Amino acid sequence: EGSDRKEARLAVQAVWLRENLIGLGPTFIKLGQTLGTRGDLLPLSYVKELATLQDQVPAFSTAEAYARIESELGRTLQEAYAEIDAEPIAAASLGQVYRARLHSGEEVAIKVQRPNLAEQISFDIAILYRLIQFVNRFFPSANENADWEGMLREFHATVFAEMDYVKEAHNADRFRASFRNWRVIKVPKIYWSHTTVRVLTMEFIRGTKVVDLEALRARRISPVKVNRLLIRAYLKQLLEDGFFHADPHPGNLLVMDSGHLAFFDFGMVGRITPKLQSQMIDAFFHVVSQDVHGLGQDIINLNFLKP
């Protein structure tokens, strides 16, 4: 009975946390999304609740979005696009997406960055640094299992990289090139004529979420095969290319009706040095051969855990 009560309490706290993170704005929504993938740091009910932040973020006004598109592209909406929806099809922590059509006829998705994003995130991160320093000073034990300052530094770097849509577009092109011989992997085409640091125009792709198992089965697509394909695609990225999509949450992956797996959102990518790659390959073989001691040493060599 006690554990049920505890679960119920955690679930209520998790909802409170998610709602407050949304209220605090982009930085905290983004942090919540990141923590929502960390079952090793938070209770499961928190992780489940925070995972909903991946695709349930309040949108900003379309008038602001249109104004941003026009100022970024240096032309009117009518000049840039033949048509554009009045409502976004998705809103995320840093931007939102509209469906549109180019004058040449192609259907596209336009990603538009939130207004005043850089200033707001810089301000929030400065406060978080102060908070972490305070906690470290008065509660030194808080750092035993997690290097909070290191995590915030990493977050600071990645979130600013993610705000540069030109960088993201180059990442998408590079990822597409890595998988050019894999017919089954799809990366939306970038329309460079309609892309800037804060506006990104890409091919519009329809599909089913990788986690929507019912819908996949209804389309005669095997979730097990999709899962295997994802694992193979990641092993290739990590162990062969040394360049990987670093944000593989369900909002960034779609299974097309043709059975192709589409990757989106290349704002967060990672690069792996050859040395790190060989260490990861060692770890992979130790997993396959079930060598627990070897794997333990690999995890220490990779700096994932302290000895």
Side-chain angles (χ1 to χ4, degrees), residues 59-108:
F60 59 95
S61 87
T62 289
E64 279 184 294
Y66 283 1
R68 158 72 37 108
I69 293 170
E70 293 192 328
S71 69
E72 283 291 315
L73 299 184
R75 52 201 137 142
T76 66
L77 271 184
Q78 286 74 19
E79 286 168 344
Y81 303 99
E83 61 177 69
I84 180 168
D85 285 358
E87 294 293 321
I89 49 172
S93 51
L94 307 185
Q96 61 198 33
V97 179
Y98 291 86
R99 191 204 63 88
R101 196 175 292 283
L102 298 178
H103 287 291
S104 46
E106 294 96 341
E107 197 179 13
V108 293

Side-chain angles (χ1 to χ4, degrees), residues 109-272:
I110 312 167
K111 185 154 116 169
V112 191
Q113 198 164 104
R114 288 182 180 273
N116 308 322
L117 191 63
E119 298 80 7
Q120 191 179 350
I121 288 184
S122 299
F123 181 80
D124 290 341
I125 285 177
I127 291 174
L128 286 166
Y129 271 124
R130 299 283 291 276
L131 198 63
I132 286 173
Q133 284 162 352
F134 172 83
V135 170
N136 287 350
R137 216 168 101 203
F138 294 101
F139 306 98
S141 63
N143 245 0
E144 265 169 25
N145 291 330
D147 170 13
W148 295 102
E149 199 168 338
M151 280 197 264
L152 186 62
R153 263 201 313 276
E154 182 76 11
F155 175 78
H156 192 172
T158 54
V159 82
F160 273 91
E162 220 181 324
M163 281 156 55
D164 180 345
Y165 289 173
V166 168
K167 207 178 246 170
E168 176 180 342
H170 282 300
N171 291 340
D173 283 351
R174 176 169 175 189
F175 193 89
R176 192 181 314 98
S178 294
F179 281 92
R180 62 187 175 276
N181 298 327
W182 286 41
R183 301 254 321 262
V184 71
I185 299 285
K186 173 85 176 164
V187 178
K189 177 185 166 187
I190 304 296
Y191 291 94
W192 284 98
S193 54
H194 292 65
T195 293
T196 70
V197 171
R198 296 188 186 89
V199 169
L200 173 59
T201 304
M202 64 195 135
E203 176 184 359
F204 193 89
I205 289 178
R206 286 187 170 74
T208 308
K209 277 186 139 177
V210 285
V211 286
D212 191 347
L213 305 186
E214 297 292 300
L216 289 175
R217 290 192 191 103
R219 287 169 175 75
R220 294 208 156 75
I221 293 167
S222 153
V224 174
K225 281 188 177 162
V226 172
N227 200 13
R228 279 197 194 134
L229 176 60
L230 252 176
I231 293 168
R232 278 178 45 222
Y234 264 93
L235 289 174
K236 172 176 156 52
Q237 292 168 61
L238 295 170
L239 306 181
E240 191 180 303
D241 305 335
F243 177 78
F244 64 96
H245 182 291
D247 195 16
H249 67 66
N252 292 341
L253 295 158
L254 280 182
V255 185
M256 297 164 70
D257 287 355
S258 56
H260 290 77
L261 178 65
F263 277 84
F264 297 90
D265 200 342
F266 293 88
M268 264 197 233
V269 294
R271 290 172 178 78
I272 299 178

